[in-house]
Coordinates of all heavy atoms in Angstrom, one line a residue:
D1 N 109.9 85.6 34.3 CA 108.5 85.3 34.1 C 108.3 83.9 33.5 O 107.2 83.4 33.4 CB 107.7 86.3 33.3 CG 107.6 87.6 34.0 OD1 107.7 87.7 35.2 OD2 107.5 88.7 33.3
L2 N 109.4 83.3 32.9 CA 109.2 82.0 32.2 C 108.7 80.9 33.1 O 107.9 80.1 32.6 CB 110.6 81.6 31.6 CG 111.0 82.2 30.3 CD1 112.4 81.8 30.0 CD2 110.0 81.8 29.2
G3 N 109.1 80.9 34.3 CA 108.7 79.8 35.2 C 107.2 79.8 35.5 O 106.7 78.8 36.0
T4 N 106.5 80.9 35.2 CA 105.1 80.9 35.4 C 104.3 80.4 34.2 O 103.1 80.3 34.3 CB 104.6 82.4 35.8 OG1 104.8 83.2 34.6 CG2 105.4 82.9 37.0
Q5 N 105.0 80.2 33.1 CA 104.3 79.8 31.9 C 104.2 78.3 31.9 O 105.1 77.5 32.3 CB 105.1 80.2 30.7 CG 105.3 81.7 30.6 CD 104.0 82.5 30.5 OE1 103.1 82.1 29.8 NE2 103.9 83.6 31.3
K6 N 103.1 77.8 31.3 CA 102.8 76.4 31.2 C 103.5 75.8 29.9 O 104.1 74.7 29.9 CB 101.4 76.0 31.2 CG 100.7 76.3 32.5 CD 99.2 76.0 32.4 CE 98.6 76.3 33.8 NZ 97.2 76.2 33.8
L7 N 103.4 76.6 28.8 CA 103.9 76.2 27.5 C 104.4 77.4 26.8 O 103.7 78.4 26.7 CB 102.9 75.5 26.7 CG 103.3 75.1 25.3 CD1 104.4 74.0 25.4 CD2 102.1 74.5 24.5
V8 N 105.6 77.3 26.3 CA 106.3 78.4 25.5 C 106.7 77.8 24.2 O 107.3 76.7 24.2 CB 107.5 79.0 26.3 CG1 108.3 79.9 25.4 CG2 107.0 79.7 27.6
I9 N 106.5 78.6 23.1 CA 107.0 78.2 21.8 C 108.1 79.2 21.5 O 107.8 80.4 21.5 CB 106.0 78.2 20.7 CG1 104.9 77.1 21.0 CG2 106.7 77.9 19.4 CD1 103.8 77.1 20.1
V10 N 109.3 78.8 21.4 CA 110.4 79.7 21.2 C 110.8 79.6 19.7 O 110.9 78.5 19.2 CB 111.6 79.5 22.1 CG1 112.2 78.1 22.0 CG2 112.7 80.5 22.0
V11 N 111.0 80.8 19.1 CA 111.3 80.8 17.7 C 112.6 81.7 17.5 O 112.6 82.8 18.1 CB 110.2 81.4 16.8 CG1 110.6 81.6 15.3 CG2 108.9 80.6 17.0
S12 N 113.6 81.2 16.8 CA 114.8 82.0 16.7 C 115.5 81.6 15.4 O 115.5 80.4 14.9 CB 115.8 81.8 17.8 OG 116.9 82.5 17.7
S13 N 116.2 82.6 14.8 CA 117.1 82.3 13.7 C 118.5 82.1 14.2 O 118.7 82.2 15.4 CB 117.0 83.5 12.7 OG 117.4 84.7 13.4
T14 N 119.4 81.9 13.3 CA 120.8 81.8 13.6 C 121.5 82.9 12.8 O 121.2 83.2 11.7 CB 121.4 80.4 13.2 OG1 120.7 79.4 14.0 CG2 122.9 80.3 13.5
Y15 N 122.4 83.5 13.5 CA 123.1 84.7 12.9 C 124.6 84.4 12.8 O 125.2 83.8 13.8 CB 122.8 85.9 13.7 CG 123.5 87.2 13.3 CD1 123.0 87.9 12.2 CD2 124.6 87.6 13.9 CE1 123.7 89.1 11.8 CE2 125.3 88.8 13.5 CZ 124.8 89.5 12.4 OH 125.4 90.6 12.0
G16 N 125.2 84.8 11.8 CA 126.7 84.8 11.7 C 127.2 83.3 11.8 O 126.8 82.4 11.1
E17 N 128.1 83.1 12.7 CA 128.8 81.8 12.9 C 128.1 81.0 14.0 O 128.7 80.4 14.8 CB 130.2 82.1 13.3 CG 131.0 82.8 12.2 CD 131.1 82.0 10.9 OE1 131.3 80.8 11.0 OE2 130.9 82.6 9.9
G18 N 126.8 80.9 13.9 CA 126.0 80.1 14.8 C 125.5 80.8 16.1 O 125.1 80.2 17.0
D19 N 125.5 82.2 16.0 CA 125.1 83.0 17.1 C 123.6 83.2 17.1 O 123.0 83.0 16.0 CB 125.8 84.3 17.1 CG 127.3 84.2 17.2 OD1 127.8 83.4 18.0 OD2 128.0 84.9 16.4
L20 N 123.1 83.7 18.2 CA 121.7 84.1 18.2 C 121.7 85.6 17.7 O 122.7 86.3 17.7 CB 121.2 84.2 19.7 CG 121.0 82.8 20.3 CD1 120.9 82.9 21.8 CD2 119.8 82.1 19.7
P21 N 120.5 86.0 17.2 CA 120.4 87.3 16.7 C 120.6 88.3 17.8 O 120.4 88.0 19.0 CB 118.9 87.4 16.2 CG 118.4 86.0 16.2 CD 119.3 85.2 17.1
Q22 N 121.0 89.5 17.5 CA 121.3 90.6 18.5 C 120.1 90.8 19.5 O 120.3 91.0 20.7 CB 121.6 91.9 17.8 CG 122.9 91.9 17.2 CD 124.1 91.8 18.2 OE1 124.1 92.4 19.2 NE2 125.0 90.9 17.8
T23 N 118.9 90.7 18.9 CA 117.7 90.9 19.8 C 117.5 89.8 20.8 O 116.8 90.0 21.8 CB 116.4 91.1 18.9 OG1 116.3 89.9 18.1 CG2 116.5 92.4 18.1
A24 N 118.0 88.6 20.5 CA 117.9 87.5 21.4 C 119.0 87.3 22.5 O 118.8 86.6 23.5 CB 117.8 86.2 20.6
L25 N 120.1 88.0 22.2 CA 121.3 87.9 23.1 C 121.0 88.3 24.6 O 121.4 87.6 25.5 CB 122.5 88.6 22.6 CG 123.2 87.9 21.4 CD1 124.3 88.8 20.8 CD2 123.7 86.5 21.8
P26 N 120.3 89.4 24.8 CA 120.0 89.8 26.2 C 119.2 88.7 26.9 O 119.4 88.4 28.1 CB 119.3 91.1 26.1 CG 119.7 91.7 24.8 CD 119.9 90.5 23.9
F27 N 118.2 88.2 26.2 CA 117.3 87.1 26.7 C 118.2 85.9 27.1 O 118.1 85.4 28.2 CB 116.3 86.8 25.7 CG 115.4 85.6 26.1 CD1 114.2 85.9 26.9 CD2 115.6 84.3 25.7 CE1 113.4 84.8 27.2 CE2 114.8 83.3 26.1 CZ 113.7 83.5 26.8
F28 N 119.0 85.5 26.2 CA 119.9 84.3 26.4 C 120.9 84.6 27.6 O 121.0 83.7 28.4 CB 120.7 84.0 25.1 CG 121.5 82.8 25.2 CD1 120.9 81.5 25.2 CD2 122.9 82.9 25.4 CE1 121.7 80.4 25.3 CE2 123.7 81.7 25.5 CZ 123.1 80.5 25.4
D29 N 121.5 85.7 27.6 CA 122.4 86.1 28.7 C 121.6 86.1 30.0 O 122.2 85.6 31.0 CB 123.0 87.4 28.4 CG 124.0 87.4 27.3 OD1 124.5 86.3 26.9 OD2 124.4 88.5 26.8
A30 N 120.4 86.6 30.0 CA 119.6 86.7 31.3 C 119.2 85.3 31.7 O 119.2 85.0 32.9 CB 118.4 87.5 31.1
L31 N 119.0 84.3 30.8 CA 118.7 83.0 31.2 C 119.9 82.4 32.0 O 119.7 81.7 33.0 CB 118.5 82.1 29.9 CG 117.1 82.0 29.3 CD1 117.2 81.2 28.0 CD2 116.1 81.5 30.3
N32 N 121.1 82.7 31.5 CA 122.3 82.1 32.1 C 122.6 82.9 33.4 O 123.2 82.3 34.3 CB 123.4 82.2 31.2 CG 123.2 81.2 30.0 OD1 122.9 80.0 30.2 ND2 123.4 81.7 28.8
E33 N 122.2 84.1 33.6 CA 122.5 84.9 34.8 C 121.4 84.6 35.9 O 121.7 84.3 37.0 CB 122.6 86.3 34.5 CG 123.8 86.7 33.7 CD 123.8 88.2 33.2 OE1 122.9 89.0 33.7 OE2 124.5 88.5 32.3
V34 N 120.2 84.7 35.5 CA 119.0 84.6 36.4 C 118.8 83.1 36.8 O 118.5 82.8 37.9 CB 117.8 85.3 35.9 CG1 116.6 85.0 36.8 CG2 118.0 86.7 35.6
R35 N 119.0 82.3 35.8 CA 118.8 80.8 35.9 C 117.4 80.5 36.6 O 117.3 79.9 37.7 CB 119.9 80.2 36.7 CG 121.2 80.4 36.0 CD 122.3 79.4 36.3 NE 122.0 78.0 36.3 CZ 122.0 77.3 35.2 NH1 122.2 77.8 34.0 NH2 121.7 76.0 35.3
P36 N 116.3 80.9 36.0 CA 115.0 80.6 36.5 C 114.7 79.1 36.5 O 115.2 78.4 35.7 CB 114.0 81.4 35.6 CG 114.8 81.4 34.3 CD 116.2 81.6 34.6

């Protein structure tokens, strides 16, 4: 659905050794798999 948006504000913290939080990992993985 991202490609249909005109403007997105993305907010994220950093976890551990520079990782994304657990709740953001599926989103990040999907970005790399789906490649919208």
Side-chain angles (χ1 to χ4, degrees):
D1 293 338
L2 277 175
T4 66
Q5 301 301 316
K6 293 180 182 172
L7 177 66
V8 170
I9 299 176
V10 61
V11 177
S12 181
S13 60
T14 299
Y15 177 78
E17 297 300 315
D19 299 319
L20 289 164
Q22 289 295 318
T23 55
L25 286 175
F27 177 86
F28 183 75
D29 291 342
L31 276 176
N32 292 311
E33 290 170 17
V34 175
R35 301 201 50 79

